[in-house]
Amino acid sequence: MVGYDPKTDGRNVSNFEVAVAGSVSGLVTRALISPLDVIKIRFQLQIERLSRSDPNAKYHGILQAARQILQEEGPTAFWKGHIPAQLLSIGYGAVQFLSFEMLTELVHRANVRDTSDFSVHFVCGGLSACMATLTVHPVDVLRTRFAAQGEPKVYKTLRDAVTTMYRTEGSLVFYRGLTPTLIAIFPYAGFQFSFYNSLKHMYEWVMPAEGKKNGNFKNLLCGSGAGVISKTLTYPLDLFKKRLQVRGFEQARVTFGQVRSYKGLLDCAKQVLQEEGAQGFFKGLSPSLLKSALATGFMFFWYEFFYNFFHHMKKEDS
């Protein structure tokens, strides 16, 4: 169970162990889905249409993009920016799950609503994600810069990236794209947690008794479903965030095709609509949905796995 549940919460798992479970969940998930994340970012940043009919388009499909990146940059390109991405995932997972557990417990103690309600999981999930985002957003900007750069590399190391960005663009560069990130992450994470909870209840209702024994499969399946629904509903804001995060980084993008400069969120949305049409808001949706299904499924699967592991360890000790 993700979130505070007075019926089952005699599990005596400490806040530290909740944070560790969230961190390890983020670490394992990030390592597994990094290639899809790199492809998704490349699609989101491409101005040209993702179509074979456009001769200027560098990428037009998942398999084609994977082959081209492999040929031009080697297999390590699929883990570009992996160190900042792992720092992001570890920190984000810890803060998000710890915040969610504490917020749902607070709702229960305040006796406001039932903690299993869709609305409670939506609001608590959104708030916990915002807290996590504020904590790790600078690392997310670094991760995006690393994943977006081609060859020759602009940034050789993480330290080089931090010092160069700070020197040339100022301290606020590390919070570029924060506004669309917060606007996007609240409903996205809110839907993740609320749909995960709802899908688990639906699974319990639909599946026969013998099918309910495999809790790990249920967590993975319901997490994947929640990821697909959440990402589809909030995708355009994720695209705006990525476009804004590479602002001032145009010189590293010239080998990928056209580049654009955006003044802010509204200007970005306006330019995308004018130049790329409404379908431009959903560039990279296919790898993003695949990534989101795997990432959200693994996130909840590994979190519940390690949470229950700590619970059983304590149970055996007592």
Side-chain angles (χ1 to χ4, degrees):
M1 178 69 187
V2 176
Y4 184 80
D5 184 355
K7 300 183 188 118
T8 61
D9 248 288
R11 291 182 282 185
N12 293 325
V13 176
S14 68
N15 286 341
F16 175 74
E17 287 165 332
V18 167
V20 170
S23 294
V24 178
S25 168
L27 185 149
V28 176
T29 300
R30 173 62 59 185
L32 293 172
I33 55 91
S34 182
L36 281 170
D37 201 32
V38 169
I39 293 172
K40 181 204 76 167
I41 290 173
R42 296 288 178 92
F43 280 12
Q44 287 178 325
L45 300 180
Q46 180 171 296
I47 304 298
E48 296 83 0
R49 285 190 308 134
L50 296 168
S51 171
R52 287 189 179 89
S53 61
D54 189 338
N56 297 315
K58 187 176 179 71
Y59 306 120
H60 51 74
I62 297 175
L63 293 178
Q64 176 270 333
R67 283 195 301 269
Q68 190 149 351
I69 292 170
L70 186 63
Q71 288 171 359
E72 295 178 352
E73 304 169 56
T76 56
F78 293 111
W79 281 269
K80 266 187 180 176
H82 192 58
I83 292 174
Q86 279 294 13
L87 293 174
L88 168 72
S89 299
I90 292 167
Y92 190 93
V95 176
Q96 182 182 35
F97 279 105
L98 179 58
S99 300
F100 185 77
E101 296 285 346
M102 294 175 74
L103 286 168
T104 49
E105 183 175 0
L106 186 65
V107 170
H108 170 72
R109 298 198 186 286
N111 202 25
V112 180
R113 296 182 76 91
D114 186 341
T115 53
S116 64
D117 280 1
F118 185 94
S119 59
V120 171
H121 276 244
F122 179 81
V123 173
C124 292
L127 288 174
S128 65
C130 287
M131 292 177 195
T133 298
L134 288 169
T135 306
V136 302
H137 190 75
V139 183
D140 191 25
V141 174
L142 286 166
R143 187 272 306 232
T144 300
R145 291 287 181 102
F146 271 102
Q149 68 178 348
E151 298 292 341
K153 293 178 181 175
V154 175
Y155 309 125
K156 305 294 188 293
T157 64
L158 182 59
R159 183 180 178 181
D160 175 45
V162 172
T163 54
T164 302
M165 288 166 66
Y166 180 78
R167 187 179 66 251
T168 59
E169 301 175 67
S171 58
L172 290 179
V173 66
F174 297 108
Y175 282 92
R176 277 215 179 129
L178 180 62
T179 301
T181 300
L182 291 175
I183 293 171
I185 202 65
F186 184 92
Y188 176 59
F191 284 136
Q192 275 185 322
F193 280 92
S194 51
F195 276 113
Y196 177 65
N197 185 50
S198 297
L199 289 171
K200 283 181 75 175
H201 286 308
M202 194 180 298
Y203 182 95
E204 293 282 343
W205 181 68
V206 170
M207 287 297 289
E210 58 271 16
K212 296 178 184 177
K213 293 176 184 175
N214 194 343
N216 289 332
F217 175 75
K218 175 181 71 175
N219 297 338
L220 185 63
L221 182 66
C222 295
S224 296
V228 169
I229 297 168
S230 307
K231 181 56 71 177
T232 303
L233 292 173
T234 61
Y235 187 77
L237 287 164
D238 187 43
L239 182 135
F240 301 151
K241 178 188 81 169
K242 288 291 182 286
R243 295 279 180 104
L244 291 170
Q245 282 181 335
V246 295
R247 189 172 52 177
F249 190 55
E250 289 81 6
Q251 77 281 3
R253 303 282 311 143
V254 291
T255 58
F256 296 109
Q258 298 178 53
V259 293
R260 293 289 182 273
S261 294
Y262 306 110
K263 296 173 184 175
L265 176 59
L266 292 178
D267 181 53
C268 179
K270 183 181 174 183
Q271 285 198 49
V272 171
L273 183 61
Q274 287 177 344
E275 296 186 15
E276 303 165 57
Q279 67 269 29
F281 293 138
F282 292 92
K283 270 187 178 172
L285 181 62
S286 297
S288 189
L289 288 181
L290 183 56
K291 176 213 159 185
S292 191
L294 293 172
T296 310
F298 283 136
M299 177 183 79
F300 285 117
F301 169 83
W302 288 114
Y303 174 74
E304 298 236 39
F305 177 86
F306 286 109
Y307 192 109
N308 290 326
F309 172 76
F310 289 132
H311 165 60
H312 290 305
M313 288 278 289
K314 282 196 169 183
K315 203 172 179 182
E316 287 179 9
D317 290 342
S318 60

